[in-house]
Amino acid sequence: MNRTRAVETPNPTSQPVATAASAPAARKAPDCWNKIGVHGDNSCTELSKHSHCRNCPVYSAAGAELLNRELPAQYRQDWTEHFSREKTRAVPGKLSAVIFRIGLEWLALPTRAFQEVAEYRAIHTLPHRRNGLVLGLINFRGELLVCVSLSRLLGLERESIREKPCKVYDRLVIAEWHGTLLTFPVHEVHGVHRYNPEDVQESPATVAMACTTFTRGILNWKDKKVGCLDEESLFSTLNRSLS
C-alpha cells in the first residue's frame, strides 16, 4: 500500500521570516532631550523630577537601544581589514635641534646648547660696547648674564632693516656651551625638531648672508630652509668677543 506524504503548502497569509534585506528599518530612538529637554526649550514636565535628562528613564532606554542595535553589514569586515593592515611607524630622528627665527631667517642649534627660552626683558647696555656683538647685560633670576647679538654675527641686521618681518613673539634664549652661559634675543622659537644626519643638505653657493661661515648645512622643515648652525664655531666666536 503506497502512502502519499502530504506536502505542506505555505500559507499566503502567514508572515515571512525577516531577513537582513527585508528587515524593517530600526525604530528611530526618541530625542526629546533635544526638543523639550535640557538641550531644547526645557518645557518637559519631568525635568522638575529628574533635574536632568540623563537621569530620565527615557534617556537611559534610548542609550541602551543605541548600544544594542544591530551591527551594519560591513562592520566586522571593515574593522578586520583595518587591524590586518601592516602598521608603518615613523622612526624618530637621531639628532635634535631647536628651531628659531631671527629676522627673516630660520635657524637651528643643537638642543644640548639650549638651557632655557625666556620672555624678552630689558638689556642694560655697557659703555664702549655699542657697536660690537655684546648688547649688554640682562638680569635673569638674580644673575647677570651677557647678552650678545646673533643677528650681527650672522649678518642678518641689514636684511631685517630692508624688509622687516611681522613680529610674532620676542624671546630670549639662554644658551650654555662648555660651562659658559650666554643669552641672545630671537623673534620666534618653534621648538625641538628631530632629524637624521642625512637630512642636512649642503648650503647653496648662492646664499647671500654672512651666516654661511657658521652654517653646517640646510635642513628642510615645513617648506622652509633652516640653517643648521655649527655650534663650535659659533660659540667660539662669541666667547672671543667677550674678551
Side-chain angles (χ1 to χ4, degrees):
M1 181 177 179
N2 294 331
R3 295 183 178 179
T4 304
R5 179 178 296 178
V7 179
E8 297 181 357
T9 57
N11 187 357
T13 61
S14 61
Q15 296 293 333
V17 178
T19 61
S22 62
R27 183 177 61 88
K28 185 178 180 180
D31 60 343
C32 53
W33 51 88
N34 291 323
K35 299 176 182 177
I36 59 175
V38 292
H39 297 294
D41 57 7
N42 293 291
S43 62
C44 181
T45 57
E46 297 294 320
L47 278 177
S48 59
K49 177 180 178 182
H50 300 294
S51 300
H52 198 280
C53 291
R54 60 172 171 261
N55 302 321
C56 178
V58 177
Y59 188 87
S60 301
E65 184 177 350
L66 178 66
L67 295 175
N68 294 329
R69 70 189 187 278
E70 292 292 333
L71 295 178
Q74 298 293 324
Y75 182 84
R76 289 189 175 90
Q77 182 178 351
D78 292 343
W79 280 107
T80 301
E81 294 177 355
H82 171 76
F83 287 111
S84 62
R85 296 192 191 104
E86 184 179 358
K87 304 297 185 296
T88 56
R89 295 183 179 180
V91 180
K94 299 178 181 179
L95 304 177
S96 65
V98 175
I99 296 177
F100 57 95
R101 179 175 62 85
I102 296 179
L104 300 175
E105 297 296 330
W106 287 94
L107 305 167
L109 271 172
T111 307
R112 62 180 179 274
F114 284 77
Q115 181 173 347
E116 192 169 340
V117 177
E119 295 289 339
Y120 188 81
R121 58 199 66 195
I123 301 176
H124 304 282
T125 58
L126 297 174
H128 312 294
R129 289 278 189 172
R130 295 185 181 276
N131 297 323
L133 297 180
V134 178
L135 297 175
L137 300 176
I138 61 123
N139 186 344
F140 182 70
R141 297 179 181 174
E143 182 180 359
L144 291 178
L145 299 179
V146 178
C147 184
V148 296
S149 175
L150 213 59
S151 60
R152 289 181 185 175
L153 176 63
L154 302 178
L156 301 177
E157 284 189 333
R158 293 181 179 178
E159 296 184 9
S160 299
I161 294 174
R162 183 174 67 251
E163 186 178 355
K164 188 175 181 180
C166 295
K167 184 164 130 179
V168 182
Y169 296 109
D170 277 341
R171 294 290 183 263
L172 197 66
V173 172
I174 294 89
E176 180 182 6
W177 194 253
H178 298 319
T180 302
L181 285 176
L182 288 175
T183 67
F184 55 89
V186 299
H187 287 96
E188 185 178 357
V189 177
H190 163 72
V192 179
H193 175 69
R194 300 194 67 88
Y195 63 98
N196 293 309
E198 56 270 19
D199 297 334
V200 181
Q201 304 172 0
E202 293 185 2
S203 302
T206 56
V207 175
M209 61 181 184
C211 69
T212 53
T213 307
F214 303 97
T215 303
R216 294 187 291 107
I218 300 296
L219 185 67
N220 291 321
W221 169 76
K222 291 186 177 181
D223 298 330
K224 296 180 177 62
K225 301 292 184 180
V226 179
C228 295
L229 298 176
D230 184 356
E231 62 276 12
E232 286 288 352
S233 177
L234 180 72
F235 285 105
S236 296
T237 304
L238 290 175
N239 288 333
R240 285 196 300 268
S241 68
L242 302 179
S243 59

